[in-house]
Amino acid sequence: RGPRGGNGGLQYKNPEPQRLVGIPRIRKVAGGYYHNAGLGEDGEWYLWGCNEQEQLGPKLGDRAQEKEPRKLSELMPSLKGATVRSLDGGYGHTVALLQD
């Protein structure tokens, strides 16, 4: 189960598991309180879920939730080209361990 509500508002529970489409197969997962991340076979981290406290990155417009997975390099352009060795989340944050 994940925070992918379908009614346009914040929704933290789904009655059924949701399939993520449009991303590569996921090799590794990490999760926070209401947000998730997955490392794709393409080497990119994908994040989705609640972003009320900017745990996925700076808000784009007034969106407090990313319902579809977004590349970390899109959410945090300052990390583009960086090698993220590990990623994890907590209540209102996400942390990344970089290669350098």
Side-chain angles (χ1 to χ4, degrees), residues 2-5 10-12 32-36 47-57 59 63-68 75 90-94:
R4 295 184 64 226
L10 291 177
Q11 180 177 336
Y12 299 121
Y33 195 63
Y34 287 122
H35 61 289
N36 303 294
L47 291 88
W48 64 96
C50 181
N51 196 31
E52 288 180 317
Q53 293 142 342
E54 298 187 346
Q55 57 267 50
L56 304 179
K59 290 182 187 171
R63 290 194 315 225
Q65 183 176 22
E66 291 293 339
K67 295 181 182 179
E68 301 299 327
L75 294 167
Y91 177 74
H93 64 278
T94 300

Side-chain angles (χ1 to χ4, degrees), residues 58-77:
K59 290 182 187 171
L60 301 173
D62 61 352
R63 290 194 315 225
Q65 183 176 22
E66 291 293 339
K67 295 181 182 179
E68 301 299 327
R70 301 269 315 271
K71 289 182 179 181
L72 176 63
S73 60
E74 294 172 1
L75 294 167
M76 296 289 298

Side-chain angles (χ1 to χ4, degrees), residues 14-61:
N14 290 301
E16 298 178 12
Q18 303 292 305
R19 179 171 297 278
L20 300 175
V21 295
I23 61 173
R25 290 178 58 95
I26 298 296
R27 297 187 310 185
K28 187 175 183 179
V29 295
Y33 195 63
Y34 287 122
H35 61 289
N36 303 294
L39 176 61
E41 286 183 335
D42 61 355
E44 288 270 4
W45 280 94
Y46 294 84
L47 291 88
W48 64 96
C50 181
N51 196 31
E52 288 180 317
Q53 293 142 342
E54 298 187 346
Q55 57 267 50
L56 304 179
K59 290 182 187 171
L60 301 173

